[in-house]
Amino acid sequence: VAAQVDVLVVGNGGAGFAAAQQLARHGVRPLLAGPGPVVDRPTLTKTTLTTGRPGLLADAGKIAELGIAVHDGLVRSVDLAGRRALLDDGTAVEAGAVVLACGLDYEQPRLPGDCTRMFTVASPAGAVAAHRLLSAGPRRVVVVGAGLLGVESAATAAAAGHEVVLLDPLPRPLDRLHDPLPAVAAAELERAGVAFRPGFAVALVEDGPAGCKVTSADGAMVTGDVVLRATGGRARSGLAGLPPLPIAVGPGLAVPGLPGVHAAGDCAVPAHPRFGRLSHPHWDSATGAGRAAADAIAGVPDAGAERLPYWWSDIGKLRVQEVGAGSLAVEWAQHDGLWVGRDAAGTVTAVLVIGAPRRLREARGLVTASWSGRS
Ligand SMILES: Cc1cc2nc3c(=O)[nH]c(=O)nc-3n(C[C@H](O)[C@H](O)[C@H](O)COP(=O)(O)OP(=O)(O)OC[C@H]3O[C@@H](n4cnc5c(N)ncnc54)[C@H](O)[C@@H]3O)c2cc1C
């Protein structure tokens, strides 16, 4: 079977759907390929664990109304130079342009021992399956990994009345992020009643009579009724024919050396006009990149090229937001309730807003003003 499409979008998450939607706005009918509905990932660790329903970026009716064709399944392989792809139903696709938007892979190698009640919260199926066990009443929940996804999951589960232990080999939650985020997370988790166990490198997870038994490399042990794995995503895809991920893309999210091929979202690293090449695997960057790739394909100038990087996280009821490039700041200081990050030259590179969503615009203004040399 062979099919010809104007644009093939590989991956139906934040970047892929944004690209398809923007192409449809430009009058181009894309083929959006990816398994299942178009899930809005941030809902998984915030609401899906308690409602059992992943939030969707659009339902099937809306997608059809937009004029987006869908392949509900995986792309098996791509020949990017020829802009050809093989779908998992055997269809060979020839495309005028390709947008790679396959995201990160959150499925980790299974831990030795295995446990039938361990779920990957970052996968829609994992969060839904975890909800099935959590909905039956208060449970002992063990969350593995205290990055953003683990911290959010632990706070969500605790707020729903579960007894939660959060494990990480590092000394503080969010320890890989800059100050004051680890202290903010620690305080919020304590308030929520989450027990944080630092120095816990999980070596074995196995089913036992008292529930799931989680053992550390040095022999410490915790048990729980449900284990939520939140050990992060990796740029890795089962899709044959891809260049190494993440892909360093040029203007218009174009993949160098492959005309008509673009990459957007977590699988790509674009160059920002101010901050340079910046890995920023967050929702706003992914959707902005998807739209920018679509604009480039449609020959429309990219309206969002200077868009400030932005991410947010909800630790229970506490909203944390950051604009700019936090990774480029070497020092952080509180200034009138906002945390301002500066580089070695003293220029504001990012502003962190904690529990004050209405001040986001002001935070953006601080980063933009320093960019235009006004502060
Ligand atoms: C649980 C969770 C919570 C998050 N919360 C926040 C938040 O609060 N704030 C924030 O700023 N960011 C958040 N993020 C990050 C944000 O959601 C991501 O940066 C964004 O979803 C990336 O979009 P993407 O399209 O690159 O990847 P994804 O949204 O992950 O989508 C990739 C898609 O590609 C599909 N795919 C993969 N391989 C193939 C293939 N071979 N063929 C077809 N399809 C394929 C996958 O099934 C998936 O649907 C969160 C992420 C997760 C996982």
Side-chain angles (χ1 to χ4, degrees), residues 219-237:
M221 202 250 287
V222 293
T223 54
D225 305 308
V226 180
V227 179
L228 303 179
R229 187 164 55 176
T231 40
R234 298 199 180 141
R236 176 161 53 88
S237 168

Side-chain angles (χ1 to χ4, degrees), residues 164-234:
V164 185
V165 181
L166 174 62
L167 311 176
D168 201 285
L170 297 176
R172 305 175 301 173
L174 301 188
D175 203 60
R176 286 190 184 81
L177 302 189
H178 60 77
D179 288 325
L181 287 163
V184 168
E188 205 51 32
L189 291 169
E190 197 180 334
R191 205 184 334 272
V194 173
F196 176 61
R197 288 276 300 264
F200 199 111
V202 173
L204 185 67
V205 182
E206 53 193 340
D207 281 320
C212 260
K213 196 166 95 178
V214 182
T215 311
S216 78
D218 54 12
M221 202 250 287
V222 293
T223 54
D225 305 308
V226 180
V227 179
L228 303 179
R229 187 164 55 176
T231 40
R234 298 199 180 141

Side-chain angles (χ1 to χ4, degrees), residues 342-371:
R342 294 177 189 273
D343 63 14
T347 308
V348 176
T349 66
V351 175
L352 180 66
V353 184
I354 296 168
R358 290 195 179 158
R359 299 192 68 187
L360 184 61
R361 179 192 283 260
E362 192 187 332
R364 282 186 191 281
L366 286 172
V367 184
T368 316
S370 83
W371 187 354

